[in-house]
Amino acid sequence: MNYFRFITTVSAARKVSPIRLLTELMQKSPPSLISLAGGAPNPNLFPFKRATVAIGHGTAVEIGEDLMKRALQYSASAGIPELVSWLKDFQRHLHNPPTANYRPEQGQMEVCVTTGSQEGLCKVFEMLINPGDNILLDAPTYSGTLAALRPLGCNIINVPSDQHGIIPKALNEILSTWSSDDVKNRSQHLPKFLYTIPNGCNPTGNSLTTERKKEIYQLARKYDFLIIEDDPYYFLQFEKPWAPTFLSMDVDGRVIRTDSFSKILSSGLRIGFLTGPKPLIDRVVLHIQVSTMHTSTFTQIMISQLLQQWGEKGFLEHIDRVVEFYRTQRDAMLIAADKWLKDLAEWYPPAAGMFLWIKIKGVSDTQQLIMEKALQKEVLLVPGGAFNIDSSKPSSYVRASFSLSSPAQMDLAFKRLADLIKEAL
């Protein structure tokens, strides 16, 4: 893989921060080292001394005085070593990526911690996109992704999808507009990457099938584009075995994967992680060095202590408990939808995630219906237009979340929505 052709001139110009490098060297040095180099504050003056965090399934996480000093101090930009090591082992065991044993320059699998997967995504976009670049995605998609992409001046090409995700035949038709000479000469007009949320897509709830992933990966090889596998709902798949990931198929080192703890451990701790070819992950880390510097050391230590205590087995058992809750919530929403909306709307049961994507019959655009009239009925959903590449384009869809409301609240909400739709028709 020629990674240099994918990165922007800004990303290519990034150099290692000498101060950040010294910080990381100092943290690896023996206690006998006398350092006059660092600009770190003296942790003895920090007012926070120790913490005990009670855990739902397990013993409390104890952060004593020595660990607290470290938790409140600067740390490595790629993540604290013990967390990065745990995550690398976990990704190997879970996805068995072919790139795990490649040489670094070949695209060896690398992991870095980010302040939520959103930071990772934004930095990946800024690493790859020059104004005028072509990129592929399947809309409707996560509004945060669209908001991050629009200011970068890229041409967003929408790939048709259905309840099973991206349609490979439609993707192939789009890509066939580029000639074999374009591919051979690595034309700058070739799409840089395909972005997709493969499981429980926000907002549609769509999940890509294994066969489609294989077809899409082969198209990525043929037309030499990267795949950004944004998978925050991977751990919220309702049926096992979980679907194989693009990362597990990545023989070339062309997949950048984002994972998040937000849906399964905490959204407020802001811990995500990127997995991908080392030459590209290293570029992201260079950007982190001069922006956030690193994800909060305290939250990393808190998560790391929990994962060390649980081990992979305990972590996956926790995920099973989370999935059971969301599966029950989904089923309750489907019951309420079938009771009140059967003749007024259409939907597909989501196989993952926390959203139901509802098409309102006879309503060409839900924007006014939701933003004005729904509030009067004391029910709130998200109008579908928010997830379109062009947010002003009419949409007959709404997104309903089943993460927070009780079954009784879902039932009442859909009754109110049904009344609202009847009034609008």
Side-chain angles (χ1 to χ4, degrees):
M1 290 283 294
N2 174 17
Y3 294 111
F4 190 77
R5 85 167 194 86
F6 290 101
I7 63 175
T8 65
T9 52
V10 172
S11 182
R14 296 193 187 281
K15 306 295 182 188
V16 174
S17 163
I19 299 298
R20 291 267 75 212
L21 192 60
L22 278 173
T23 299
E24 293 174 25
L25 280 173
M26 198 168 72
Q27 289 170 349
K28 294 175 184 175
S29 299
S32 57
L33 176 80
I34 299 171
S35 174
L36 305 179
N42 192 312
N44 292 320
L45 302 176
F46 297 154
F48 311 100
K49 298 305 177 185
R50 63 183 66 83
T52 301
V53 183
I55 301 300
H57 292 82
T59 57
V61 168
E62 298 282 354
I63 301 177
E65 285 200 31
D66 288 341
L67 188 56
M68 181 62 87
K69 287 178 184 178
R70 186 176 160 226
L72 299 176
Q73 191 58 277
Y74 296 126
S75 59
S77 293
I80 61 171
E82 63 267 42
L83 180 57
V84 172
S85 176
W86 196 97
L87 293 172
K88 277 186 181 179
D89 288 344
F90 185 65
Q91 294 295 68
R92 287 191 190 102
H93 298 156
L94 196 61
H95 304 290
N96 191 25
T99 55
N101 297 313
Y102 285 15
R103 293 194 308 273
E105 66 275 11
Q106 285 183 310
Q108 180 187 80
M109 184 199 85
E110 184 59 280
V111 173
C112 76
V113 177
T114 57
T115 305
S117 60
Q118 184 74 19
E119 185 203 17
L121 269 180
C122 286
K123 284 182 164 55
V124 167
F125 293 156
E126 290 178 27
M127 170 179 67
L128 299 176
I129 295 173
N130 286 306
D133 281 347
N134 292 314
I135 65 121
L136 304 157
L137 60 73
D138 51 320
T141 193
Y142 174 48
S143 56
T145 294
L146 296 172
L149 288 171
R150 289 188 189 110
L152 299 178
C154 55
N155 302 315
I156 304 174
I157 301 169
N158 192 15
V159 184
S161 59
D162 57 20
Q163 71 269 32
H164 303 300
I166 290 171
I167 302 168
K169 183 179 178 183
L171 175 60
N172 189 42
E173 286 175 5
I174 290 169
L175 292 167
S176 65
T177 59
W178 284 275
S179 68
S180 55
D181 284 341
D182 288 331
V183 178
K184 184 180 177 182
N185 299 324
R186 297 296 186 257
S187 165
Q188 63 180 6
H189 300 298
L190 284 169
K192 277 271 186 82
F193 62 78
L194 168 71
Y195 167 90
T196 191
I197 304 172
N199 293 293
C201 177
N202 177 4
T204 62
N206 297 342
S207 292
L208 262 171
T209 64
T210 302
E211 284 308 309
R212 287 191 179 188
K213 284 180 184 172
K214 290 177 181 176
E215 290 182 61
I216 291 165
Y217 188 82
Q218 291 308 313
L219 288 171
R221 301 190 78 187
K222 180 178 178 181
Y223 289 93
D224 195 25
F225 58 82
L226 304 174
I227 296 174
I228 299 178
E229 182 175 35
D230 184 16
D231 215 355
Y233 305 101
Y234 175 78
F235 297 114
L236 296 188
Q237 295 180 70
F238 300 131
E239 302 300 330
K240 288 186 177 180
W242 290 340
T245 59
F246 281 115
L247 183 67
S248 72
M249 305 173 184
D250 188 21
V251 293
D252 295 335
R254 66 174 66 251
V255 174
I256 303 173
R257 177 179 172 81
T258 72
D259 281 282
S260 175
F261 286 132
S262 290
K263 312 301 184 288
I264 48 174
L265 294 181
S266 163
S267 51
L269 288 180
R270 307 308 300 138
I271 299 274
F273 51 106
L274 285 177
T275 308
K278 183 173 173 57
L280 296 181
I281 299 300
D282 285 352
R283 296 264 123 217
V284 172
V285 173
L286 291 180
H287 193 172
I288 292 171
Q289 286 183 356
V290 296
S291 56
T292 53
M293 289 178 61
H294 58 80
T295 296
S296 163
T297 316
F298 184 89
T299 57
Q300 288 189 73
I301 281 179
M302 201 163 119
I303 294 285
S304 180
Q305 292 286 303
L306 177 65
L307 294 176
Q308 299 286 352
Q309 180 198 128
W310 273 350
E312 289 184 14
K313 182 175 180 289
F315 177 59
L316 292 171
E317 286 170 354
H318 168 74
I319 288 169
D320 286 343
R321 292 188 291 269
V322 173
V323 168
E324 181 57 35
F325 170 82
Y326 283 110
R327 185 192 295 112
T328 303
Q329 290 288 100
R330 176 204 61 175
D331 292 347
M333 178 163 277
L334 290 172
I335 289 168
D338 195 56
K339 177 179 176 182
W340 297 109
L341 302 175
K342 187 160 55 176
D343 299 321
L344 302 170
E346 299 172 351
W347 59 88
Y348 293 104
M354 52 178 62
F355 305 111
L356 186 64
W357 188 235
I358 304 169
K359 183 178 182 180
I360 309 298
K361 295 179 182 179
V363 176
S364 59
D365 189 13
T366 57
Q367 180 70 23
Q368 185 182 17
L369 184 75
I370 297 302
M371 299 308 289
E372 295 177 19
K373 296 178 181 178
L375 284 173
Q376 296 169 11
K377 292 281 188 184
E378 296 185 305
V379 60
L380 189 61
L381 302 96
V382 183
F387 307 99
N388 288 334
I389 295 170
D390 177 0
S391 59
S392 65
K393 183 181 175 183
S395 171
S396 56
Y397 288 86
V398 294
R399 189 196 75 178
S401 169
F402 47 81
S403 61
L404 294 174
S405 301
S406 68
Q409 287 173 320
M410 293 180 207
D411 185 79
L412 181 56
F414 279 174
K415 179 184 184 301
R416 290 172 177 173
L417 178 61
D419 291 342
L420 181 64
I421 295 168
K422 289 172 185 174
E423 289 176 13
L425 295 177

